[in-house]
Each structure stands twice: as structure tokens, then as C-alpha cells.
């Protein structure tokens, strides 16, 4: 059965492709700005809310063109996901920002349209990722603080003094799901230069399908981290480099 | 082959694939409890989101839901005793040694205390007699001064009894029944005497004696109290912040959502100075909460010692639920207060002694017979250590 699937994929690839396989390959890099969006709930926690934060992404781009309008693309990349848990009102000043680093492998169909040099494109596909590391930075109230509460600080931090921290996130295997997967969609413009380079800019949305936490309790509030990405990059087109020049 | 948008449609359809729904979490005291099913939901939810020890507690709270949900659902309005029994069963194994469930007035139901019930099964357990050491210790004191502030709920005053004096051989002794010193420092008795302030001034003045040989702080039978008293008392004996452990709180609704560990310090008073003489804390099995915190802080000093018995094991500080988004909560009906810690405490050695108790350096068991005969072997051991 596996042998048959391989044959189907190979035949489909040959039917859809134009020219030599190596001539359709494009490879390069991209980097961009990320606006994260956390989907969860503070429940009935008083004066507490989650807030979205910005971060960055950078990675490689590998695109294999099947024909003029369709390519398959894989973008192994590093993407940061950040969010903040913030208290306000009387508890103003108490907050925690989580910064999580992921290794992502987005795989997508790249659909392009337009003129020869300037094209529009749409990407649609999915991604898998590994939550590599995390960091937490913030301020909390400390009942046994090293210094007494200061009149300069508002509210609760005047009673229990602040403790500032910036430390590595400690993974808990009972709780943390380190594998993430989801869907993605993007749209952008690409410009071909001298039939060798492709510059592109893209707005992409990563829609997480996996809860950041494993299911370990009843009535658990899930937590999803989506990302809106604005990125730009450059690809080198390997087309024709292995073709003998016409004489 | 021309580009066709129809290839995008299947991908768009699965784009809005299902995520788990975010459950509606209701604050426990917002449930309008009209039957035991509602009471159970409110109580179970409150514990699920606010109990601070799920990281180390062995009670399977999900299993409690599965077992007791149908039981509470089958109870009728007159089944209060059975509901009480079920609550006692559900909470019997909880590690929080501050944990109690108090019931609405008029129901005639005693407070549930899982730690108390477990202590009663210990053959070495002795019931605390608040204030007994106030009298017994005086037999060892050359000179002493006492004060008692009686509790008065009408003015929201919590009582405290203290004695301070000099044991021959120039040892300064101080005993307090609980930690409501700052709370009552301005209390004036009917004769116009600021009795507690007098005792505290006596104690603090004697700390500065040049011929002082040692200090004994007696927290036996002490039921704990105000966190501020740690700095008020110990702050006079140190001249720089004293690191002795860590605290952390809940940081979310998940049972395993925690803040980082914040280092815990005793802060020096502006008039504090570093004592070089031995400081011995006397503890017993009924030394709880602030008395344990104080003992552990003294133990963190190079000249600090603990004599007596392993403490109660209730070290998690308590405050209002909204302060640290966890801890105690109320219900609308039947249960008036679930009294539970707001923070976990970890000693500087990295161990959590909640439910276990902090061990003394030198174990001297409580001996009722000797105390009745006017002898206090625990106090005598403390004196011996200082010498």
C-alpha cells in the first residue's frame, strides 16, 4: 500500500511539473514581525486580563514550483509567541510576560497569479512546531519582600512590595504541550528580478489547533496562541542553472 | 494548467476546524445555592481553581468529582448531616494544614479540619492549651512582665497573651500565644496602661543588653497570626534582610498554574542589630503558621536553633482571595468559608514542609506530667543549648 502511494505522488508530480525537477526549486530566507493573539480566559479572576504581545520570526524558505501558479512550500523557521497576564486597578503593576520560542515547520500550497514579474500569491497549509524554550518576566507582590512597600507605588504593591523576576520558564511535563500544530493562511506580493531572485512580502496568519496545555484536569480552560505575521524575504531561483546554454 | 480558486475551497473549509470550547467558570460565591447539587458544584469549582497545593497534594480532585457529584445530586434538603460527611471524606487527605470548612450559622455543624482529624490519630498528639506556657515559664524567670489583650469581635480585635522576662544566667525569654502584636500594640487596658507595648519595650530593650547570653522565643501552642509580626519581632535581632525561603501563588485557573517562587525575607527594624548570642525558638506540635515561619526564619540565622517538637505543618500564608487570585473563598449557602492558604511556602533548603511540619534541631517531647510538676524539659534544653 505504501508503495502505491509513492507511485501516485511521483506520477502527480511529473504530470504537474514543467521542465527538470531541480529547475523549479527556489530557496531563501524571510524575517518579520509577529503580533500574537492569545485565546483563553482569566475566568473569574479579579482585575486580571490577558494581553497580546508582539514578537519576531525568522527562517528559511524552500519552494518547489509545480507549474506557473502552483508551488509547494516549506518554511522551517523560528517564531516567538508572547503574551502577558496583567492585573489592573488596585493591583496595577503586577504582570507577567511569557516569551516562548518555537521551531516551526509550515508546509503549504503556494498559489500565485498575475504578471510575469509582479505576482500576487496566496498560501494555505498547516504547520507543526516544537516549543523549544520559554522565559517569564514580570513583577509580583511578595508578602515577605526584601524591602518594605513604598508609598511611590500604587495599590497592592504598596502593601506587599514588588518582586521583579526574569527567568527561564520551567516546563512541567504534566501540564505543558510542547508540540504544536495548526493551520496557516497568507497573502502577499512577489517580484521576480532577472529571473533569479524573488522578493516577497507576505501577511500570514497562524491558527493554532493545539492547546498549549495537556488535558490534566476537569473544567480546564484551554489556551491557544495564534500569530499574525508580517514578513518579507528573498528567494534564489535555481531554474535553468543546470540547463546547458542554447547554441 | 490555469490557476483555479476551487483548490482553495477545501482548505478554507477546514481552516475553521474545531478548538476546545472555553468553559464558563463561575465564582463560587456567585452560585445561588438552592440544593446540594449546586453547593457541590460551587465548592468543587472553588477548590479546583483556588487551592494552592495541587502541585504536591495527592488527593485526586477529578476523581472526587466523579464519585461525589452523583452523591450530592441525590441529597434532599434535610440531608445536611450526609452532605457534611461527604465533605469530610472529600477533604480528608488534603495537605494544606490551614484548611478548614466553616458552615453557616444555625446549621449546628462543626468546622471541618482535615489536619486536625489526622493529628488526632497520632498517639503522641497533645491538645493545645492556649496560654499554658505563659504561666509555666514564669517559674523559670527571675523577673518578668506579662500582658493579655482579650479578643473582642465587636471591635474586630484578636487577642494575644505575652510574657517576657529574664531567666537567671542572663537569658532573655519571650512567649506569645499568637502573632497579633502589631495589631494590639496600641491597646490600652481599662486602667489606661498600654500593657502590650510595655512588654514589647521591655523585650526590645533587653535585646540590647551587653551581658545578654541568649534569647529564647517560645512559640509553643502558638496559633499564628499576622505576617507583619515577623519583621516586628525578628527585625530587632537582625541588621540586614534575612533570606529564609520562598513563596508562590496561583497564576491562573489551572491547578498547575503558578507564579515563580519569590524569595522570602525577614526585614530588619531601623533599630535592629545583629545578635551574636544564640537565639532558640521553642516549638511544639501545635506551633502553627506564623510560629512556624518565625522558627524557620530564626533557623536561617547562623546562631538560630529550634528545640521541642516538629511543628504543625501549616506554613502557607493566608490573605483575601483577590490579592493573589487564589486561596480562601466563600459560598452563598451552607458553607460560609473555605479557609485555605493563598500561597505555598518553601524553606531555603528547597523543601516544602506543608503537612509535614518543620523539625527541631533538638527533639524534646511534650511531657504533661513534668509540666504539672513544675518542670519544663523543653525550656530547660533551650537554656542548656545557650550555655
Amino acid at each position: 500500500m505504501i508503495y502505491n502511494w509513492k507511485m501516485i505522488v511521483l506520477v502527480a508530480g511529473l504530470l504537474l511539473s514543467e521542465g527538470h525537477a531541480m529547475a523549479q526549486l527556489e530557496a531563501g530566507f524571510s524575517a518579520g514581525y509577529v503580533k500574537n493573539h492569545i485565546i483563553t480566559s482569566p475566568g473569574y479572576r479579579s482585575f486580571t486580563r490577558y494581553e497580546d504581545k508582539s514578537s519576531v520570526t525568522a527562517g528559511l524558505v524552500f519552494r518547489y514550483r509545480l507549474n506557473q501558479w502552483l508551488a509547494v512550500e516549506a518554511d522551517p523557521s523560528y517564531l516567538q509567541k508572547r503574551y502577558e497576564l496583567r492585573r489592573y486597578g488596585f493591583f496595577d503593576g503586577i504582570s507577567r510576560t511569557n516569551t516562548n520560542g518555537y521551531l516551526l515547520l509550515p508546509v503549504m500550497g503556494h498559489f500565485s497569479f498575475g504578471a510575469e514579474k509582479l505576482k500576487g500569491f496566496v498560501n494555505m497549509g498547516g504547520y507543526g512546531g516544537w516549543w523549544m524554550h520559554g522565559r517569564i518576566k514580570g513583577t509580583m507582590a511578595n508578602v515577605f519582600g526584601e524591602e518594605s512597600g513604598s508609598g511611590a507605588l500604587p495599590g497592592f504593591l504598596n502593601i506587599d512590595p514588588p518582586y521583579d523576576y526574569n527567568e527561564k520558564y520551567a516546563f512541567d511535563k504534566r501540564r505543558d504541550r510542547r508540540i504544536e500544530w495548526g493551520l496557516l493562511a497568507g497573502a502577499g506580493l512577489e517580484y521576480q528580478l532577472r529571473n533569479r531572485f524573488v522578493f516577497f512580502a507576505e501577511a500570514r496568519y497562524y491558527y493554532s489547533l493545539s492547546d498549549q496545555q495537556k488535558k490534566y484536569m476537569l473544567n480546564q480552560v484551554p489556551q491557544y496562541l495564534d500569530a499574525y505575521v508580517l514578513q518579507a524575504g528573498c528567494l534564489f531561483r535555481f531554474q535553468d542553472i543546470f540547463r546547458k546554454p542554447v547554441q | 494548467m490555469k490557476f483555479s480558486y476551487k483548490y482553495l475551497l477545501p482548505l478554507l473549509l477546514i481552516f475553521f476546524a474545531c478548538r476546545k470550547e472555553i468553559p464558563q467558570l463561575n465564582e463560587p460565591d456567585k452560585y445561588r445555592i438552592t440544593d446540594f447539587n449546586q453547593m457541590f458544584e460551587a465548592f468543587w469549582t472553588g477548590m479546583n481553581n483556588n487551592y494552592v497545593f495541587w502541585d504536591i497534594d495527592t488527593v485526586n480532585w477529578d476523581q472526587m468529582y466523579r464519585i461525589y457529584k452523583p452523591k450530592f445530586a441525590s441529597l434532599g434538603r434535610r440531608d445536611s448531616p450526609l452532605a457534611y460527611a461527604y465533605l469530610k471524606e472529600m477533604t480528608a487527605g488534603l495537605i494544606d494544614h490551614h484548611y478548614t470548612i466553616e458552615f453557616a450559622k444555625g446549621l449546628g455543624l462543626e468546622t471541618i479540619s482535615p489536619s486536625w482529624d489526622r493529628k488526632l490519630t497520632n498517639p503522641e498528639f497533645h491538645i493545645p492549651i492556649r496560654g499554658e506556657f505563659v504561666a509555666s515559664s514564669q517559674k523559670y524567670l527571675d523577673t518578668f512582665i506579662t500582658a493579655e489583650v482579650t479578643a473582642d469581635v465587636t471591635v474586630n480585635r484578636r487577642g494575644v497573651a505575652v510574657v517576657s522576662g529574664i531567666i537567671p544566667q542572663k537569658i532573655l525569654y519571650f512567649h506569645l500565644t499568637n502573632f497579633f502584636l502589631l495589631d494590639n500594640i496600641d491597646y490600652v487596658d481599662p486602667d489606661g496602661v498600654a500593657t502590650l507595648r510595655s512588654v514589647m519595650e521591655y523585650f526590645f530593650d533587653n535585646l540590647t543588653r551587653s551581658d545578654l547570653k541568649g534569647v529564647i522565643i517560645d512559640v509553643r501552642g502558638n496559633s499564628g497570626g499576622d505576617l507583619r509580626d515577623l519583621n516586628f519581632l525578628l527585625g530587632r535581632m537582625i541588621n540586614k534582610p534575612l533570606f529564609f525561603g520562598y513563596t508562590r501563588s496561583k497564576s491562573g485557573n489551572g491547578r498547575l498554574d503558578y507564579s515563580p517562587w519569590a524569595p522570602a525575607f525577614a526585614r530588619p527594624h531601623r533599630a535592629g542589630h545583629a545578635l551574636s548570642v544564640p537565639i532558640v525558638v521553642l516549638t511544639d506540635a501545635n506551633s502553627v503558621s506564623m510560629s512556624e515561619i518565625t522558627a524557620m526564619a530564626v533557623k536561617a540565622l547562623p546562631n538560630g536553633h529550634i528545640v521541642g517538637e516538629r511543628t504543625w505543618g501549616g506554613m502557607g500564608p493566608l490573605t483575601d482571595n483577590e490579592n493573589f487570585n487564589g486561596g480562601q473563598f466563600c459560598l452563598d449557602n451552607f458553607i460560609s468559608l473555605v479557609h485555605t492558604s493563598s500561597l505555598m511556602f518553601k524553606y531555603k533548603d528547597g523543601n516544602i514542609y506543608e503537612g509535614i511540619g518543620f523539625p527541631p534541631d533538638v527533639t524534646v517531647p511534650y511531657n504533661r506530667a513534668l509540666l504539672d510538676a513544675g518542670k519544663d524539659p523543653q525550656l530547660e534544653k533551650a537554656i542548656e543549648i545557650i550555655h
Side-chain angles (χ1 to χ4, degrees):
Chain A
M1 195 58 100
I2 294 172
Y3 173 81
N4 287 337
W5 274 109
K6 280 184 180 175
M7 289 298 293
I8 291 169
V9 169
L10 180 60
V11 168
L14 287 172
L15 285 173
L16 289 168
S17 68
E18 295 174 2
H20 195 280
M22 274 302 289
Q24 305 299 323
L25 183 64
E26 296 167 354
F29 60 89
S30 68
Y33 161 86
V34 182
K35 178 68 177 175
N36 298 282
H37 178 50
I38 182 164
I39 295 107
T40 188
S41 169
Y44 52 79
R45 298 298 173 205
S46 53
F47 300 96
T48 304
R49 61 180 175 228
Y50 286 90
E51 294 189 352
D52 299 335
K53 302 288 279 185
S54 304
S55 59
V56 293
T57 182
L60 303 174
V61 180
F62 297 99
R63 190 181 291 168
Y64 181 70
R65 288 205 172 272
L66 298 169
N67 55 42
Q68 278 187 339
W69 59 269
L70 176 64
V72 174
E73 182 171 324
D75 300 348
S77 50
Y78 171 79
L79 185 140
Q80 263 188 2
K81 293 196 176 187
R82 299 175 75 225
Y83 65 91
E84 184 180 16
L85 181 64
R86 174 185 285 274
R87 301 201 73 188
Y88 54 95
F90 180 71
F91 302 97
D92 200 27
I94 297 172
S95 69
R96 187 192 75 220
T97 297
N98 282 56
T99 301
N100 300 324
Y102 288 81
L103 203 57
L104 286 192
L105 182 61
V107 177
M108 67 211 83
H110 177 85
F111 307 89
S112 50
F113 48 89
E116 190 177 333
K117 280 195 177 297
L118 183 65
K119 290 179 187 295
F121 66 84
V122 169
N123 287 330
M124 300 211 74
Y127 71 93
W130 172 254
W131 181 1
M132 287 198 311
H133 65 85
R135 191 147 198 97
I136 49 173
K137 183 178 177 183
T139 301
M140 58 190 275
N142 189 357
V143 290
F144 295 121
E146 190 171 3
E147 294 172 5
S148 57
S150 160
L153 289 168
F156 190 56
L157 292 179
N158 189 32
I159 301 170
D160 285 336
Y163 168 64
D164 298 324
Y165 56 89
N166 182 353
E167 56 188 61
K168 204 172 159 184
Y169 177 80
F171 286 106
D172 185 332
K173 62 183 179 187
R174 298 169 297 175
R175 176 194 62 208
D176 297 319
R177 176 173 280 122
R178 298 187 68 173
I179 295 176
E180 178 172 313
W181 61 90
L183 304 173
L184 69 91
L189 293 171
E190 60 186 29
Y191 179 77
Q192 180 186 314
L193 183 68
R194 293 185 193 169
N195 207 32
R196 275 286 174 266
F197 297 99
V198 179
F199 297 92
F200 68 91
E202 179 189 5
R204 183 182 291 184
Y205 174 45
Y206 288 100
Y207 177 85
S208 173
L209 286 173
S210 58
D211 188 346
Q212 259 211 315
Q213 295 191 348
K214 298 175 184 172
K215 177 109 177 88
Y216 68 87
M217 59 182 269
L218 290 175
N219 243 15
Q220 187 171 344
V221 178
Q223 188 166 294
Y224 299 96
L225 283 170
D226 290 349
Y228 298 90
V229 176
L230 279 175
Q231 61 182 1
C234 173
L235 300 172
F236 177 79
R237 179 168 286 171
F238 289 92
Q239 182 181 15
D240 296 336
I241 64 169
F242 293 104
R243 193 173 287 175
K244 286 182 185 175
V246 174
Q247 301 202 347
Chain B
M1 195 173 190
K2 279 184 73 174
F3 173 78
S4 174
Y5 288 98
K6 69 181 178 187
Y7 294 103
L8 296 178
L9 190 58
L11 290 169
L12 276 171
L13 284 174
I14 65 172
F15 196 81
F16 299 104
C18 291
R19 286 178 173 168
K20 288 179 250 179
E21 259 189 56
I22 294 179
Q24 173 69 35
L25 291 183
N26 297 304
E27 204 165 349
D29 68 348
K30 298 293 188 287
Y31 283 76
R32 288 296 162 257
I33 295 170
T34 55
D35 54 41
F36 283 113
N37 187 45
Q38 284 286 298
M39 191 282 297
F40 171 79
E41 286 288 340
F43 170 70
W44 187 91
T45 297
M47 285 291 295
N48 203 35
N49 302 137
N50 293 293
Y51 187 67
V52 83
F53 293 102
W54 289 128
D55 187 27
I56 58 172
D57 209 295
T58 57
V59 172
N60 186 328
W61 202 238
D62 289 346
Q63 191 66 353
M64 290 300 159
Y65 188 91
R66 294 182 193 104
I67 293 171
Y68 287 94
K69 165 80 175 172
K71 289 188 179 189
F72 277 93
S74 69
L75 294 180
R77 284 172 156 259
R78 297 180 194 278
D79 290 329
S80 296
L82 203 45
Y84 179 90
Y86 290 156
L87 287 168
K88 210 164 182 183
E89 288 171 9
M90 287 176 71
T91 58
L94 293 175
I95 200 172
D96 179 5
H97 268 41
H98 274 110
Y99 188 91
T100 61
I101 302 176
E102 296 172 21
F103 294 88
K105 286 185 173 51
L107 290 176
L109 295 173
E110 277 186 13
T111 298
I112 289 175
S113 173
S115 57
W116 177 263
D117 290 341
R118 287 202 293 274
K119 296 283 187 189
L120 284 176
T121 63
N122 185 340
E124 293 177 356
F125 178 69
H126 52 92
I127 295 174
I129 304 171
R130 304 284 178 225
E132 71 169 312
F133 300 107
V134 174
S136 67
S137 56
Q138 293 171 24
K139 300 184 183 70
Y140 288 81
L141 303 173
D142 260 352
T143 56
F144 61 88
I145 179 173
T146 66
E148 182 172 1
V149 178
T150 50
D152 186 346
V153 294
T154 60
V155 294
N156 204 26
R157 187 173 65 229
R158 295 170 289 191
V160 62
V162 295
V163 59
S164 184
I166 304 294
I167 295 172
Q169 308 105 21
K170 302 184 183 67
I171 297 172
L172 179 61
Y173 173 87
F174 180 69
H175 172 62
L176 65 168
T177 56
N178 48 46
F179 282 83
F180 295 122
L181 301 173
L182 268 176
D183 249 12
N184 293 298
I185 199 65
D186 294 322
Y187 172 77
V188 174
D189 72 6
D191 295 326
V193 179
T195 55
L196 180 62
R197 184 180 288 278
S198 302
V199 175
M200 297 316 302
E201 285 175 352
Y202 173 90
F203 176 70
F204 292 144
D205 287 344
N206 276 286
L207 277 177
T208 62
R209 286 171 64 143
S210 57
D211 59 347
L212 193 66
K213 287 287 186 282
V215 179
I216 296 174
I217 300 173
D218 188 353
V219 295
R220 292 175 294 178
N222 185 307
S223 55
D226 193 338
L227 301 184
R228 297 178 301 159
D229 279 2
L230 175 69
N231 299 327
F232 179 68
L233 184 64
L234 196 58
R236 301 288 182 139
M237 299 175 233
I238 55 178
N239 62 356
K240 59 183 180 182
L242 171 67
F243 166 67
F244 67 98
Y246 308 87
T247 59
R248 73 172 178 181
S249 67
K250 294 294 307 296
S251 71
N253 296 299
R255 295 206 287 259
L256 299 179
D257 290 340
Y258 288 101
S259 74
W261 289 100
F265 295 88
R267 291 198 297 271
H269 188 269
R270 60 179 179 279
H273 68 284
L275 279 185
S276 57
V277 297
I279 305 172
V280 181
V281 178
L282 285 173
T283 63
D284 70 357
N286 300 304
S287 300
V288 65
S289 195
M290 267 307 296
S291 51
E292 299 179 274
I293 293 286
T294 301
M296 288 190 282
V298 168
K299 175 71 181 151
L301 287 166
N303 52 330
H305 311 273
I306 301 176
V307 170
E309 296 176 315
R310 183 180 284 269
T311 62
W312 181 270
M315 292 122 180
L318 291 97
T319 181
D320 293 336
N321 182 286
E322 56 269 19
N323 289 345
F324 290 97
N325 276 337
Q328 60 191 26
F329 59 94
C330 304
L331 296 194
D332 170 57
N333 199 353
F334 194 67
I335 293 174
S336 62
L337 175 68
V338 177
H339 187 249
T340 181
S341 298
S342 309
L343 297 142
M344 280 175 83
F345 178 83
K346 177 169 74 172
Y347 188 56
K348 61 181 283 187
D349 64 2
N351 292 315
I352 297 170
Y353 291 93
E354 186 72 32
I356 301 169
F358 199 70
D361 298 315
V362 179
T363 298
V364 180
Y366 175 86
N367 190 314
R368 182 76 251 172
L370 284 176
L371 279 171
D372 288 341
K375 240 177 115 49
D376 188 341
Q378 292 168 333
L379 180 54
E380 288 181 1
K381 177 56 76 175
I383 295 169
E384 182 188 317
I385 284 173
I386 288 172
H387 287 300

